[in-house]
Amino acid sequence: MNREIECWQPVHWPAIWAMALLWFFTGCAVSPKKEAQDLPRVIAFYTAENDRAHISFVHEANRWFERMGREYKFAYDSTSNWDLLNEDHLRNYQLVVFLDTRPETSDQRSAFEQYMKNGGAWMGFHFSAFALTPSAFPQNWDWYHNEFLGSGQYQSNTWRPTSARLKVEAPDHPVARQLPALITSSPNEWYRWQNNLREDPAIRALLSIDPSSFPLGTGPKPHEIWHSGDYPVVWTNMQYRMIYFNMGHNDIDYEGGTNRELSFTFGNPEQDRLVRNAILWLTGIHENR
């Protein structure tokens, strides 16, 4: 009896405790890392220069996407280094987001075009579609502006940033899940385009400005107030996995000289759901709630 206790106590307990501690610490260290590696990965590119309204949106969007990543289980990275828009880096991501601008070098553009043609996914906001010749952002990328986006050059905009009632044109599309027929947007500066998106068979308008929104804009310049017209503001090119949102311009107190943020893009439940649905659709994440 005494011999059995003597052999059992000094020999086996330390080994058992050592194995238990090894399992505990390696399990805690390795499992979350492996889980993070298995998550869909999203990367956002931005410039965040010059226009305070766009800078405000970029910072707000980065906070919102990070929060959505924690809630809906995707990894989110963001960068102002557009040189990371290359083949080697992009193969790590299921979704690329342009928050405020577009790539400018031929290498960056070529890498993005091949990424999309090889089945990658993209989401763009507001100024990411802007092009105007002559300007600091000329229309010098036909594939992107004419084929991929379908919009061509920028033509005009409303002012000041104002909310609009948006008609859901594709209630069967995944981005419209649990949305009503009409939603009220956050305040935004709305763009008009050179090309008629309705005439492009590859483009499917998902949301457009509802006529009940007119007049849209407050001026003071008369041409910055829209009184009528057909304006798709969210659309997809059905030949690619992509979506473009005209939203992404917060209101700033320029006139008062304070540069204070007067509005935000996120925090609007219906508009947030729209963007969230788009993330889930483009990454292949299914919302199980």
Side-chain angles (χ1 to χ4, degrees):
M1 181 71 174
N2 288 340
R3 184 179 178 183
E4 290 176 358
I5 295 175
E6 182 180 353
C7 292
W8 172 70
Q9 242 179 339
V11 176
H12 294 288
W13 266 113
I16 292 171
W17 277 109
M19 290 176 65
L21 289 172
L22 179 64
W23 175 85
F24 176 79
F25 285 112
T26 57
C28 289
V30 175
S31 296
K33 183 177 179 182
K34 182 178 185 301
E35 182 182 351
Q37 290 174 344
D38 292 339
L39 296 178
R41 299 187 67 187
V42 178
I43 184 168
F45 291 87
Y46 63 89
T47 302
E49 295 178 356
N50 302 320
D51 193 323
R52 290 180 181 273
H54 299 167
I55 295 171
S56 169
F57 169 74
V58 165
H59 295 320
E60 180 195 6
N62 277 327
R63 294 191 297 269
W64 187 84
F65 271 88
E66 287 174 0
R67 189 168 68 253
M68 291 301 102
R70 291 191 296 270
E71 185 173 350
Y72 290 92
K73 308 304 179 188
F74 61 87
Y76 179 69
D77 299 322
S78 63
T79 180
S80 59
N81 181 6
W82 286 86
D83 286 333
L84 292 178
L85 196 69
N86 62 67
E87 182 181 358
D88 288 342
H89 198 68
L90 291 181
R91 66 166 52 101
N92 298 312
Y93 295 93
Q94 285 70 53
L95 174 60
V96 171
V97 181
F98 291 175
L99 290 177
D100 65 340
T101 41
R102 64 183 189 183
E104 293 298 330
T105 72
S106 59
D107 287 346
Q108 294 164 1
R109 291 179 174 185
S110 177
F112 176 67
E113 181 176 345
Q114 291 307 308
Y115 171 80
M116 293 307 303
K117 289 182 176 179
N118 290 334
W122 177 83
M123 175 184 294
F125 291 91
H126 194 60
F127 198 72
S128 66
F130 182 91
L132 179 63
T133 302
S135 77
F137 299 90
Q139 202 304 79
N140 55 9
W141 191 9
D142 283 342
W143 173 82
Y144 181 73
H145 292 286
N146 286 320
E147 179 185 327
F148 181 66
L149 284 165
S151 54
Q153 294 197 80
Y154 155 93
Q155 290 289 285
S156 68
N157 61 270
T158 61
W159 193 256
R160 299 190 57 91
T162 48
S163 297
R165 297 191 78 197
L166 305 181
K167 176 184 177 182
V168 176
E169 293 201 16
D172 60 319
H173 196 280
V175 303
R177 183 183 181 194
Q178 296 182 354
L179 288 180
L182 289 173
I183 72 170
T184 300
S185 77
S186 299
N188 188 53
E189 172 198 48
W190 303 99
Y191 285 161
R192 181 171 68 90
W193 305 101
Q194 176 186 38
N195 296 345
N196 185 342
L197 292 161
R198 305 287 188 183
E199 296 178 351
D200 189 332
I203 300 299
R204 186 182 187 191
L206 303 178
L207 284 86
S208 62
I209 292 174
D210 187 75
S212 63
S213 297
F214 299 127
L216 188 61
T218 60
K221 298 176 183 178
H223 70 268
E224 294 174 333
I225 304 173
W226 294 350
H227 295 275
S228 62
D230 178 27
Y231 304 100
V233 295
V234 181
W235 68 82
T236 183
N237 184 325
M238 295 180 290
Q239 296 179 350
Y240 299 92
R241 293 175 58 219
M242 61 84 78
I243 192 168
Y244 171 74
F245 295 99
N246 197 240
M247 302 79 134
H249 184 113
N250 294 342
D251 194 12
I252 303 292
D253 181 23
Y254 295 121
E255 291 78 5
T258 67
N259 291 323
R260 183 169 58 91
E261 295 167 315
L262 301 178
S263 74
F264 296 94
T265 298
F266 296 102
N268 173 329
E270 293 175 340
Q271 187 166 291
D272 284 3
R273 176 171 290 280
L274 171 68
V275 180
R276 185 170 68 243
N277 284 348
I279 296 170
L280 301 179
W281 168 55
L282 292 170
T283 58
I285 300 171
H286 297 288
E287 186 178 13
N288 297 316
R289 55 182 66 197

